[in-house]
Amino acid sequence: MSENREQFGSRLGFILAAAGSAVGIGNLVGFPVNAAKNGGGAFLLIYALCVVLLCLPVMLAELSLGRHTKKDPLGAYTSIAGNSPWRIAGWLSLVTPFMIAVFYSVITIWLLGYVVNAATGNLDQLAAPDTFGNFINSNSIFLYLAAVATIIFLILAGGVQDGIERAAKVLMPLLFVFLIALVIFVLSLDNAWAGVRYYMVPDFSKITGSVINGALSQAFFSLSLGMGILITYGSYMNPKEDLPGATKMVALCDTGVAFAAGLLILPAVFSFNPNVNPEELSDSSVSLIFTFLPKIFLALQGTLGYVGASIVATTFFTLVFFAAITSLVSIIEVPTASLMDARRYSRKKSLLILGITMGLLTIASALSFGKVGFLTELVNYAGASRSLFDIIIDTFYDTILPLNGALVCLFVIYRWRKTNFNDEVEQGNPNYKGTFLERYVNFSVGTFIPVILFLIFINTVAQKYFGVSLIAL
Ligand code: PFF
Protein backbone atom coordinates (compact mmCIF):
# COMPACT_ATOMS: atom_id res chain seq x y z
CA MET A 1 0.00 0.00 0.00
CA SER A 2 2.74 2.45 0.95
CA GLU A 3 4.26 2.35 -2.57
CA ASN A 4 1.27 4.12 -4.04
CA ARG A 5 -0.04 5.84 -0.98
CA GLU A 6 -2.27 8.83 -1.53
CA GLN A 7 -0.65 12.23 -1.02
CA PHE A 8 -1.68 15.80 -0.42
CA GLY A 9 -1.42 17.66 -3.72
CA SER A 10 0.25 20.79 -2.41
CA ARG A 11 1.79 22.41 0.62
CA LEU A 12 -1.17 24.76 0.93
CA GLY A 13 -3.53 21.78 0.71
CA PHE A 14 -1.78 20.08 3.62
CA ILE A 15 -1.70 23.24 5.72
CA LEU A 16 -5.39 23.93 5.18
CA ALA A 17 -6.31 20.30 5.91
CA ALA A 18 -4.22 20.20 9.09
CA ALA A 19 -5.52 23.62 10.13
CA GLY A 20 -9.02 22.31 9.39
CA SER A 21 -8.36 19.54 11.86
CA ALA A 22 -6.92 21.88 14.45
CA VAL A 23 -9.53 24.63 14.20
CA GLY A 24 -12.60 23.27 15.92
CA ILE A 25 -15.11 23.80 18.67
CA GLY A 26 -12.16 23.96 21.08
CA ASN A 27 -10.86 27.15 19.44
CA LEU A 28 -14.11 28.88 18.79
CA VAL A 29 -15.72 28.41 22.16
CA GLY A 30 -13.46 26.61 24.66
CA PHE A 31 -10.54 29.00 24.25
CA PRO A 32 -12.38 32.34 24.72
CA VAL A 33 -14.16 31.12 27.85
CA ASN A 34 -10.96 29.72 29.34
CA ALA A 35 -9.10 32.95 28.60
CA ALA A 36 -11.82 35.16 30.05
CA LYS A 37 -11.99 33.25 33.31
CA ASN A 38 -8.33 32.64 33.81
CA GLY A 39 -6.58 35.97 33.68
CA GLY A 40 -7.18 37.29 30.12
CA GLY A 41 -3.87 38.41 28.63
CA ALA A 42 -1.99 36.36 31.23
CA PHE A 43 -3.75 33.20 30.02
CA LEU A 44 -3.04 34.14 26.38
CA LEU A 45 0.63 34.39 27.20
CA ILE A 46 0.75 31.03 28.95
CA TYR A 47 -1.24 29.44 26.16
CA ALA A 48 1.20 30.79 23.57
CA LEU A 49 4.14 29.45 25.60
CA CYS A 50 2.47 26.01 25.80
CA VAL A 51 1.98 26.00 22.03
CA VAL A 52 5.56 26.99 21.23
CA LEU A 53 7.48 25.16 23.93
CA LEU A 54 5.44 22.00 24.42
CA CYS A 55 3.04 21.41 21.55
CA LEU A 56 5.14 22.30 18.49
CA PRO A 57 7.79 19.64 19.27
CA VAL A 58 5.08 16.96 19.72
CA MET A 59 3.49 18.02 16.46
CA LEU A 60 6.79 17.66 14.68
CA ALA A 61 7.34 14.23 16.23
CA GLU A 62 3.89 12.95 15.14
CA LEU A 63 4.16 14.30 11.60
CA SER A 64 7.68 12.90 11.10
CA LEU A 65 6.71 9.48 12.39
CA GLY A 66 3.79 9.36 9.98
CA ARG A 67 5.77 10.63 7.02
CA HIS A 68 8.60 8.19 7.64
CA THR A 69 6.46 5.08 8.04
CA LYS A 70 3.75 6.08 5.55
CA LYS A 71 1.26 4.32 7.76
CA ASP A 72 -1.71 4.88 10.03
CA PRO A 73 -0.78 5.16 13.77
CA LEU A 74 -1.02 1.44 14.58
CA GLY A 75 0.96 0.62 11.45
CA ALA A 76 3.50 3.31 12.33
CA TYR A 77 4.19 1.82 15.76
CA THR A 78 4.32 -1.77 14.51
CA SER A 79 6.40 -1.06 11.43
CA ILE A 80 9.15 0.26 13.71
CA ALA A 81 8.69 -1.80 16.88
CA GLY A 82 7.14 -4.99 15.51
CA ASN A 83 5.13 -7.07 17.93
CA SER A 84 6.55 -5.41 21.05
CA PRO A 85 4.44 -3.80 23.81
CA TRP A 86 4.56 -0.58 21.77
CA ARG A 87 1.62 -2.11 19.91
CA ILE A 88 -0.47 -0.98 22.86
CA ALA A 89 0.46 2.63 22.13
CA GLY A 90 -0.53 1.99 18.52
CA TRP A 91 -3.91 0.63 19.54
CA LEU A 92 -4.47 3.54 21.90
CA SER A 93 -3.87 6.00 19.10
CA LEU A 94 -6.49 4.20 17.10
CA VAL A 95 -9.19 3.76 19.73
CA THR A 96 -8.79 7.33 21.01
CA PRO A 97 -9.72 9.08 17.75
CA PHE A 98 -12.55 6.61 17.23
CA MET A 99 -14.08 7.48 20.60
CA ILE A 100 -13.36 11.21 20.43
CA ALA A 101 -15.09 11.22 17.04
CA VAL A 102 -18.18 9.79 18.76
CA PHE A 103 -18.58 12.62 21.28
CA TYR A 104 -17.59 15.26 18.77
CA SER A 105 -20.18 13.92 16.32
CA VAL A 106 -22.92 14.36 18.89
CA ILE A 107 -22.05 18.06 19.27
CA THR A 108 -21.75 18.47 15.48
CA ILE A 109 -25.21 17.00 15.04
CA TRP A 110 -26.64 19.54 17.48
CA LEU A 111 -24.79 22.32 15.66
CA LEU A 112 -26.41 21.40 12.37
CA GLY A 113 -29.79 21.48 14.11
CA TYR A 114 -29.05 25.01 15.30
CA VAL A 115 -27.86 26.13 11.83
CA VAL A 116 -31.10 24.89 10.28
CA ASN A 117 -33.33 26.39 12.97
CA ALA A 118 -31.57 29.77 12.99
CA ALA A 119 -31.77 29.90 9.18
CA THR A 120 -35.45 29.02 9.05
CA GLY A 121 -36.72 31.72 11.36
CA ASN A 122 -36.69 29.85 14.69
CA LEU A 123 -34.09 31.93 16.51
CA ASP A 124 -36.68 32.97 19.11
CA GLN A 125 -37.25 29.31 19.94
CA LEU A 126 -33.53 28.60 20.15
CA ALA A 127 -33.22 31.35 22.75
CA ALA A 128 -36.02 29.93 24.94
CA PRO A 129 -34.79 28.30 28.17
CA ASP A 130 -36.03 24.72 27.63
CA THR A 131 -35.21 24.42 23.94
CA PHE A 132 -31.79 22.83 24.19
CA GLY A 133 -32.90 20.11 26.63
CA ASN A 134 -35.91 19.30 24.47
CA PHE A 135 -33.97 19.43 21.21
CA ILE A 136 -31.27 16.96 22.24
CA ASN A 137 -33.91 14.49 23.28
CA SER A 138 -36.06 14.93 20.17
CA ASN A 139 -36.23 12.55 17.25
CA SER A 140 -35.01 15.22 14.84
CA ILE A 141 -31.44 14.51 15.94
CA PHE A 142 -31.58 11.28 13.93
CA LEU A 143 -32.20 13.29 10.80
CA TYR A 144 -29.26 15.55 11.55
CA LEU A 145 -27.11 12.52 12.33
CA ALA A 146 -27.92 11.11 8.89
CA ALA A 147 -27.03 14.45 7.28
CA VAL A 148 -23.70 14.78 9.12
CA ALA A 149 -22.79 11.15 8.35
CA THR A 150 -23.55 11.72 4.66
CA ILE A 151 -21.43 14.88 4.49
CA ILE A 152 -18.46 13.17 6.18
CA PHE A 153 -18.85 10.10 3.97
CA LEU A 154 -18.94 12.18 0.78
CA ILE A 155 -15.79 14.07 1.79
CA LEU A 156 -13.79 11.06 2.94
CA ALA A 157 -14.88 8.84 0.06
CA GLY A 158 -13.15 11.33 -2.25
CA GLY A 159 -9.79 10.40 -0.72
CA VAL A 160 -6.93 12.60 0.40
CA GLN A 161 -6.69 15.00 -2.53
CA ASP A 162 -10.18 15.05 -3.94
CA GLY A 163 -11.92 14.71 -0.60
CA ILE A 164 -10.05 16.00 2.46
CA GLU A 165 -7.90 18.57 0.67
CA ARG A 166 -10.63 19.86 -1.58
CA ALA A 167 -13.12 20.23 1.31
CA ALA A 168 -10.49 22.09 3.36
CA LYS A 169 -9.80 24.44 0.45
CA VAL A 170 -13.47 25.41 0.33
CA LEU A 171 -14.47 25.31 3.99
CA MET A 172 -11.42 26.92 5.59
CA PRO A 173 -11.43 30.15 3.56
CA LEU A 174 -15.19 30.43 4.15
CA LEU A 175 -14.58 29.92 7.84
CA PHE A 176 -11.98 32.71 7.89
CA VAL A 177 -14.32 35.08 6.05
CA PHE A 178 -17.26 34.35 8.40
CA LEU A 179 -15.05 34.75 11.44
CA ILE A 180 -13.57 38.07 10.33
CA ALA A 181 -16.98 39.41 9.33
CA LEU A 182 -18.47 38.48 12.70
CA VAL A 183 -15.53 39.96 14.64
CA ILE A 184 -15.85 43.26 12.76
CA PHE A 185 -19.58 43.32 13.34
CA VAL A 186 -19.38 42.46 17.04
CA LEU A 187 -16.67 45.05 17.71
CA SER A 188 -19.03 47.71 16.39
CA LEU A 189 -21.65 46.96 19.07
CA ASP A 190 -22.11 49.10 22.20
CA ASN A 191 -19.89 48.05 25.11
CA ALA A 192 -17.93 45.64 22.93
CA TRP A 193 -14.64 47.17 23.99
CA ALA A 194 -15.29 46.32 27.63
CA GLY A 195 -15.17 42.68 26.50
CA VAL A 196 -11.94 43.23 24.58
CA ARG A 197 -10.39 44.79 27.67
CA TYR A 198 -11.48 41.90 29.84
CA TYR A 199 -10.09 39.47 27.31
CA MET A 200 -6.71 41.09 26.77
CA VAL A 201 -5.66 42.90 29.94
CA PRO A 202 -3.49 40.45 31.88
CA ASP A 203 -4.37 39.52 35.45
CA PHE A 204 -1.43 37.49 36.67
CA SER A 205 -3.02 36.90 40.06
CA LYS A 206 -5.38 34.38 38.44
CA ILE A 207 -2.57 32.15 37.24
CA THR A 208 -2.41 28.97 39.30
CA GLY A 209 -1.13 25.46 38.61
CA SER A 210 -4.52 24.34 37.45
CA VAL A 211 -4.80 27.29 35.04
CA ILE A 212 -1.46 26.31 33.49
CA ASN A 213 -2.65 22.73 33.28
CA GLY A 214 -5.86 23.99 31.64
CA ALA A 215 -3.91 26.06 29.10
CA LEU A 216 -1.74 23.11 28.16
CA SER A 217 -4.72 20.75 27.81
CA GLN A 218 -6.53 23.32 25.71
CA ALA A 219 -3.49 23.82 23.44
CA PHE A 220 -2.88 20.08 23.15
CA PHE A 221 -6.48 19.34 22.18
CA SER A 222 -6.67 22.35 19.92
CA LEU A 223 -3.67 21.25 17.87
CA SER A 224 -5.20 17.76 17.48
CA LEU A 225 -2.28 16.08 19.27
CA GLY A 226 -2.39 12.59 20.76
CA MET A 227 -5.20 11.55 18.44
CA GLY A 228 -3.20 9.88 15.70
CA ILE A 229 -4.39 12.56 13.28
CA LEU A 230 -1.00 14.12 12.61
CA ILE A 231 0.65 10.71 12.21
CA THR A 232 -1.96 9.89 9.58
CA TYR A 233 -1.77 13.27 7.83
CA GLY A 234 2.03 13.06 7.99
CA SER A 235 1.83 9.77 6.10
CA TYR A 236 0.25 11.65 3.19
CA MET A 237 2.95 14.33 3.06
CA ASN A 238 5.56 14.72 0.42
CA PRO A 239 9.04 13.82 1.80
CA LYS A 240 10.40 17.06 0.36
CA GLU A 241 8.02 19.15 2.44
CA ASP A 242 9.52 21.46 5.06
CA LEU A 243 8.05 19.97 8.25
CA PRO A 244 9.03 22.65 10.79
CA GLY A 245 7.73 25.33 8.42
CA ALA A 246 4.41 23.56 7.88
CA THR A 247 4.08 22.87 11.61
CA LYS A 248 4.55 26.54 12.45
CA MET A 249 1.97 27.60 9.87
CA VAL A 250 -0.65 25.20 11.24
CA ALA A 251 -0.02 26.27 14.83
CA LEU A 252 -0.16 29.94 13.84
CA CYS A 253 -3.42 29.47 12.02
CA ASP A 254 -4.96 27.54 14.90
CA THR A 255 -3.87 30.04 17.51
CA GLY A 256 -4.90 32.97 15.32
CA VAL A 257 -8.42 31.58 14.98
CA ALA A 258 -8.65 30.91 18.74
CA PHE A 259 -7.52 34.46 19.44
CA ALA A 260 -9.99 35.93 16.94
CA ALA A 261 -12.78 33.83 18.47
CA GLY A 262 -12.10 35.61 21.77
CA LEU A 263 -12.62 38.93 19.99
CA LEU A 264 -15.98 37.62 18.90
CA ILE A 265 -17.39 35.87 21.95
CA LEU A 266 -16.37 38.21 24.80
CA PRO A 267 -17.41 41.50 23.19
CA ALA A 268 -20.71 39.82 22.29
CA VAL A 269 -21.21 38.76 25.89
CA PHE A 270 -20.42 42.26 27.17
CA SER A 271 -22.61 44.05 24.68
CA PHE A 272 -25.49 41.81 25.75
CA ASN A 273 -24.92 42.58 29.42
CA PRO A 274 -22.33 45.26 30.23
CA ASN A 275 -22.34 44.23 33.89
CA VAL A 276 -21.59 40.60 33.25
CA ASN A 277 -18.91 38.90 35.29
CA PRO A 278 -17.26 36.45 32.86
CA GLU A 279 -16.15 34.32 35.77
CA GLU A 280 -19.75 33.32 36.10
CA LEU A 281 -19.89 32.01 32.54
CA SER A 282 -20.47 28.29 32.58
CA ASP A 283 -17.39 26.12 32.20
CA SER A 284 -18.97 24.07 29.51
CA SER A 285 -18.60 25.04 25.89
CA VAL A 286 -21.81 23.18 25.22
CA SER A 287 -24.00 25.37 27.39
CA LEU A 288 -22.30 28.50 26.07
CA ILE A 289 -22.98 27.62 22.43
CA PHE A 290 -26.42 26.19 22.79
CA THR A 291 -28.08 28.14 25.57
CA PHE A 292 -26.23 31.40 26.19
CA LEU A 293 -25.28 32.58 22.69
CA PRO A 294 -28.76 32.16 21.15
CA LYS A 295 -30.05 34.67 23.74
CA ILE A 296 -27.35 37.14 22.70
CA PHE A 297 -28.20 36.73 19.02
CA LEU A 298 -31.90 37.23 19.68
CA ALA A 299 -31.15 40.41 21.62
CA LEU A 300 -29.66 41.85 18.42
CA GLN A 301 -33.15 42.14 16.97
CA GLY A 302 -33.47 45.47 18.80
CA THR A 303 -30.94 47.00 16.42
CA LEU A 304 -30.90 44.65 13.42
CA GLY A 305 -34.47 43.38 13.32
CA TYR A 306 -35.38 39.70 13.58
CA VAL A 307 -34.06 38.83 10.14
CA GLY A 308 -30.73 40.57 10.77
CA ALA A 309 -30.33 38.80 14.13
CA SER A 310 -31.13 35.46 12.48
CA ILE A 311 -28.52 36.09 9.79
CA VAL A 312 -25.85 36.76 12.43
CA ALA A 313 -26.86 33.62 14.37
CA THR A 314 -26.89 31.49 11.23
CA THR A 315 -23.45 32.75 10.23
CA PHE A 316 -22.07 31.93 13.67
CA PHE A 317 -23.52 28.42 13.85
CA THR A 318 -22.40 27.71 10.28
CA LEU A 319 -18.89 28.84 11.17
CA VAL A 320 -18.71 26.48 14.15
CA PHE A 321 -20.33 23.71 12.10
CA PHE A 322 -17.70 24.01 9.32
CA ALA A 323 -14.94 23.95 11.93
CA ALA A 324 -16.45 20.82 13.47
CA ILE A 325 -16.83 19.07 10.09
CA THR A 326 -13.20 19.58 9.06
CA SER A 327 -12.08 18.30 12.48
CA LEU A 328 -14.34 15.26 12.25
CA VAL A 329 -13.06 14.50 8.77
CA SER A 330 -9.49 14.39 10.08
CA ILE A 331 -10.27 12.21 13.05
CA ILE A 332 -12.36 9.68 11.13
CA GLU A 333 -9.59 9.44 8.54
CA VAL A 334 -7.43 7.80 11.25
CA PRO A 335 -9.41 4.54 11.65
CA THR A 336 -10.24 4.67 7.93
CA ALA A 337 -6.53 4.65 7.08
CA SER A 338 -6.01 1.82 9.54
CA LEU A 339 -8.61 -0.39 7.94
CA MET A 340 -7.19 0.40 4.51
CA ASP A 341 -3.58 -0.25 5.60
CA ALA A 342 -4.03 -3.27 7.86
CA ARG A 343 -6.95 -5.02 6.19
CA ARG A 344 -6.40 -3.76 2.67
CA TYR A 345 -10.07 -2.80 2.51
CA SER A 346 -11.13 -0.24 -0.04
CA ARG A 347 -11.76 3.29 1.22
CA LYS A 348 -15.52 2.93 0.74
CA LYS A 349 -15.72 -0.40 2.55
CA SER A 350 -13.67 1.00 5.45
CA LEU A 351 -15.95 4.02 5.65
CA LEU A 352 -19.07 1.88 5.66
CA ILE A 353 -17.76 -0.30 8.49
CA LEU A 354 -16.85 2.79 10.50
CA GLY A 355 -20.10 4.51 9.62
CA ILE A 356 -22.07 1.64 11.12
CA THR A 357 -19.97 1.12 14.27
CA MET A 358 -19.41 4.77 15.00
CA GLY A 359 -22.98 5.61 14.04
CA LEU A 360 -24.35 3.13 16.61
CA LEU A 361 -22.11 4.46 19.36
CA THR A 362 -22.96 8.04 18.44
CA ILE A 363 -26.66 7.22 18.68
CA ALA A 364 -26.09 5.58 22.08
CA SER A 365 -24.23 8.67 23.36
CA ALA A 366 -26.81 11.03 21.91
CA LEU A 367 -29.45 9.09 23.85
CA SER A 368 -27.54 9.40 27.12
CA PHE A 369 -28.99 12.80 28.00
CA GLY A 370 -32.10 11.48 29.67
CA LYS A 371 -33.78 9.70 26.82
CA VAL A 372 -32.49 6.24 27.78
CA GLY A 373 -32.16 5.86 31.53
CA PHE A 374 -29.38 3.33 31.78
CA LEU A 375 -27.15 5.17 29.28
CA THR A 376 -27.76 8.40 31.19
CA GLU A 377 -26.62 6.90 34.49
CA LEU A 378 -24.25 4.26 33.26
CA VAL A 379 -21.70 4.14 36.08
CA ASN A 380 -20.73 5.90 39.25
CA TYR A 381 -17.26 7.13 40.00
CA ALA A 382 -15.69 9.73 42.24
CA GLY A 383 -19.07 10.13 43.88
CA ALA A 384 -21.14 11.01 40.81
CA SER A 385 -23.17 9.14 38.24
CA ARG A 386 -21.85 9.46 34.70
CA SER A 387 -23.58 9.08 31.34
CA LEU A 388 -22.08 7.31 28.34
CA PHE A 389 -21.23 10.72 26.85
CA ASP A 390 -19.46 11.79 30.08
CA ILE A 391 -17.49 8.55 30.25
CA ILE A 392 -16.21 8.97 26.71
CA ILE A 393 -15.07 12.55 27.42
CA ASP A 394 -13.53 11.65 30.81
CA THR A 395 -11.68 8.63 29.47
CA PHE A 396 -10.52 9.57 26.02
CA TYR A 397 -10.36 13.33 25.92
CA ASP A 398 -9.31 14.14 29.49
CA THR A 399 -7.26 11.06 30.38
CA ILE A 400 -5.86 9.10 27.44
CA LEU A 401 -4.97 12.09 25.27
CA PRO A 402 -1.99 13.23 27.41
CA LEU A 403 -0.92 9.60 27.82
CA ASN A 404 -0.86 9.17 24.03
CA GLY A 405 1.20 12.35 23.77
CA ALA A 406 3.74 11.08 26.32
CA LEU A 407 3.98 7.71 24.57
CA VAL A 408 4.54 9.15 21.12
CA CYS A 409 7.36 11.35 22.46
CA LEU A 410 9.12 8.42 24.17
CA PHE A 411 8.63 6.22 21.13
CA VAL A 412 10.10 8.72 18.69
CA ILE A 413 13.21 9.46 20.73
CA TYR A 414 14.01 6.11 22.36
CA ARG A 415 12.59 3.46 20.03
CA TRP A 416 12.58 4.99 16.58
CA ARG A 417 15.65 6.99 17.72
CA LYS A 418 16.67 10.59 17.62
CA THR A 419 18.91 10.29 14.57
CA ASN A 420 16.14 8.79 12.44
CA PHE A 421 13.75 11.48 13.62
CA ASN A 422 16.25 14.19 12.74
CA ASP A 423 17.00 12.63 9.35
CA GLU A 424 13.31 12.64 8.54
CA VAL A 425 12.90 16.33 9.42
CA GLU A 426 16.11 17.26 7.58
CA GLN A 427 14.82 15.65 4.38
CA GLY A 428 12.58 18.60 3.60
CA ASN A 429 14.65 21.16 5.47
CA PRO A 430 18.43 20.60 5.25
CA ASN A 431 19.04 23.75 7.30
CA TYR A 432 17.41 22.09 10.32
CA LYS A 433 20.62 20.20 11.06
CA GLY A 434 22.50 21.57 14.04
CA THR A 435 20.03 24.37 14.72
CA PHE A 436 18.87 25.42 18.17
CA LEU A 437 15.40 24.21 17.16
CA GLU A 438 16.71 20.72 16.45
CA ARG A 439 18.49 20.54 19.79
CA TYR A 440 15.49 21.92 21.66
CA VAL A 441 13.09 19.48 19.98
CA ASN A 442 15.32 16.48 20.69
CA PHE A 443 15.84 17.45 24.30
CA SER A 444 12.26 18.42 25.12
CA VAL A 445 10.62 15.46 23.36
CA GLY A 446 12.99 13.10 25.13
CA THR A 447 12.66 14.60 28.62
CA PHE A 448 10.32 17.13 30.13
CA ILE A 449 7.44 17.04 27.64
CA PRO A 450 6.63 13.34 28.24
CA VAL A 451 7.18 13.83 31.98
CA ILE A 452 4.70 16.72 32.10
CA LEU A 453 2.16 14.83 30.01
CA PHE A 454 2.56 11.72 32.12
CA LEU A 455 2.03 13.67 35.35
CA ILE A 456 -1.11 15.21 33.90
CA PHE A 457 -2.30 11.71 33.01
CA ILE A 458 -1.70 10.31 36.52
CA ASN A 459 -3.28 13.31 38.19
CA THR A 460 -6.34 13.13 35.93
CA VAL A 461 -6.85 9.44 36.69
CA ALA A 462 -6.63 10.12 40.43
CA GLN A 463 -8.98 13.08 40.19
CA LYS A 464 -11.54 11.75 37.75
CA TYR A 465 -11.91 8.23 38.95
CA PHE A 466 -10.92 8.36 42.60
CA GLY A 467 -11.76 11.93 43.52
CA VAL A 468 -8.28 12.69 44.88
CA SER A 469 -5.83 15.29 43.66
CA LEU A 470 -2.25 14.04 43.74
CA ILE A 471 -0.62 17.22 42.59
CA ALA A 472 -1.79 20.37 44.28
CA LEU A 473 -2.69 22.37 41.21
N1 PFF B 1 -8.61 20.71 17.29
C1 PFF B 1 -9.91 20.24 17.49
C2 PFF B 1 -10.71 21.27 18.28
O1 PFF B 1 -10.09 22.19 18.81
O2 PFF B 1 -11.92 21.19 18.37
C3 PFF B 1 -9.74 18.95 18.19
C4 PFF B 1 -10.42 17.85 17.52
C5 PFF B 1 -11.50 17.33 18.09
C6 PFF B 1 -10.02 17.39 16.29
C7 PFF B 1 -12.21 16.37 17.50
C8 PFF B 1 -10.73 16.43 15.66
C9 PFF B 1 -11.84 15.95 16.28
F1 PFF B 1 -12.60 15.08 15.70
Side-chain angles (χ1 to χ4, degrees):
M1 192 101 206
S2 58
E3 315 80 59
N4 44 22
R5 194 174 189 74
E6 297 175 76
Q7 261 195 12
F8 286 110
S10 65
R11 176 181 158 84
L12 179 69
F14 164 77
I15 291 174
L16 286 177
S21 171
V23 172
I25 302 168
N27 304 56
L28 295 172
V29 193
F31 179 86
V33 175
N34 253 322
K37 294 181 140 192
N38 294 318
F43 180 89
L44 301 186
L45 191 71
I46 290 177
Y47 181 88
L49 288 175
C50 289
V51 168
V52 175
L53 299 177
L54 305 174
C55 294
L56 276 179
V58 183
M59 236 174 134
L60 202 54
E62 289 199 18
L63 283 173
S64 317
L65 179 62
R67 193 174 71 173
H68 171 79
T69 54
K70 301 217 173 346
K71 288 268 188 313
D72 68 289
L74 177 59
Y77 276 98
T78 51
S79 72
I80 289 174
N83 247 338
S84 70
W86 281 111
R87 271 184 84 89
I88 300 171
W91 274 106
L92 280 179
S93 35
L94 203 58
V95 178
T96 308
F98 183 92
M99 296 306 289
I100 289 186
V102 168
F103 92 72
Y104 214 77
S105 296
V106 174
I107 302 179
T108 310
I109 291 164
W110 298 339
L111 278 170
L112 181 58
Y114 271 54
V115 171
V116 171
N117 275 297
T120 50
N122 296 330
L123 178 61
D124 49 351
Q125 278 170 36
L126 294 183
D130 294 337
T131 302
F132 181 57
N134 295 335
F135 169 70
I136 63 179
N137 284 319
S138 69
N139 289 335
S140 62
I141 57 165
F142 294 105
L143 205 71
Y144 295 120
L145 166 71
V148 168
T150 309
I151 295 171
I152 302 280
F153 180 86
L154 289 177
I155 296 177
L156 283 176
V160 175
Q161 258 184 50
D162 292 335
I164 300 174
E165 189 170 333
R166 211 203 278 171
K169 280 184 171 160
V170 176
L171 295 178
M172 292 310 286
L174 276 176
L175 186 149
F176 297 140
V177 171
F178 286 0
L179 181 61
I180 293 169
L182 283 173
V183 169
I184 294 175
F185 167 69
V186 165
L187 288 181
S188 72
L189 296 174
D190 287 346
N191 292 314
W193 289 91
V196 176
R197 225 170 294 127
Y198 200 94
Y199 177 46
M200 308 232 328
V201 173
D203 177 358
F204 285 98
S205 70
K206 295 244 178 74
I207 301 301
T208 60
S210 76
V211 168
I212 297 175
N213 183 359
L216 175 57
S217 306
Q218 172 75 31
F220 202 79
F221 179 70
S222 187
L223 289 169
S224 301
L225 300 174
M227 306 185 197
I229 295 176
L230 294 176
I231 301 180
T232 311
Y233 274 18
S235 76
Y236 303 137
M237 277 180 95
N238 187 318
K240 296 201 191 79
E241 201 61 75
D242 167 15
L243 280 179
T247 307
K248 283 181 214 155
M249 284 300 295
V250 174
L252 203 67
C253 199
D254 185 60
T255 309
V257 169
F259 178 72
L263 291 177
L264 164 62
I265 303 277
L266 292 163
V269 168
F270 271 82
S271 81
F272 176 63
N273 174 7
N275 300 317
V276 73
N277 176 4
E279 276 177 59
E280 282 156 21
L281 284 177
S282 153
D283 260 333
S284 119
S285 302
V286 165
S287 66
L288 186 81
I289 307 178
F290 298 107
T291 58
F292 194 65
L293 290 177
K295 281 191 258 171
I296 295 188
F297 294 132
L298 186 63
L300 292 173
Q301 67 179 338
T303 39
L304 296 180
Y306 189 70
V307 173
S310 301
I311 292 174
V312 174
T314 308
T315 311
F316 175 79
F317 287 117
T318 309
L319 160 76
V320 188
F321 178 67
F322 283 174
I325 286 288
T326 47
S327 294
L328 266 183
V329 160
S330 72
I331 208 160
I332 298 178
E333 177 63 11
V334 179
T336 308
S338 276
L339 286 174
M340 289 164 63
D341 286 351
R343 299 284 173 127
R344 313 242 157 203
Y345 289 165
S346 70
R347 185 168 266 283
K348 288 218 170 79
K349 182 172 173 183
S350 309
L351 285 171
L352 284 176
I353 294 173
L354 287 169
I356 293 168
T357 47
M358 243 176 220
L360 289 175
L361 260 172
T362 304
I363 291 175
S365 335
L367 295 177
S368 75
F369 293 87
K371 198 152 171 137
V372 175
F374 96 94
L375 293 171
T376 308
E377 296 185 0
L378 199 54
V379 286
N380 264 298
Y381 47 71
S385 103
R386 312 294 284 159
S387 68
L388 178 63
F389 185 84
D390 296 331
I391 297 168
I392 296 176
I393 295 195
D394 285 350
T395 312
F396 293 95
Y397 164 44
D398 278 327
T399 312
I400 309 257
L401 219 54
L403 175 67
N404 286 347
L407 290 174
V408 84
C409 290
L410 297 175
F411 183 75
V412 162
I413 299 291
Y414 300 108
R415 185 62 182 84
W416 181 30
R417 301 241 171 249
K418 222 185 275 186
T419 47
N420 295 321
F421 173 33
N422 292 338
D423 286 350
E424 183 60 43
V425 182
E426 280 159 23
Q427 259 203 63
N429 182 344
N431 298 334
Y432 182 64
K433 204 180 183 68
T435 54
F436 171 74
L437 182 64
E438 184 184 51
R439 273 178 282 141
Y440 176 74
V441 168
N442 284 329
F443 178 71
S444 61
V445 175
T447 56
F448 62 87
I449 295 180
V451 170
I452 293 174
L453 293 172
F454 202 71
L455 288 177
I456 293 182
F457 163 68
I458 304 276
N459 195 47
T460 312
V461 171
Q463 243 173 15
K464 287 261 166 217
Y465 302 98
F466 302 99
V468 281
S469 192
L470 296 180
I471 309 168
L473 286 174

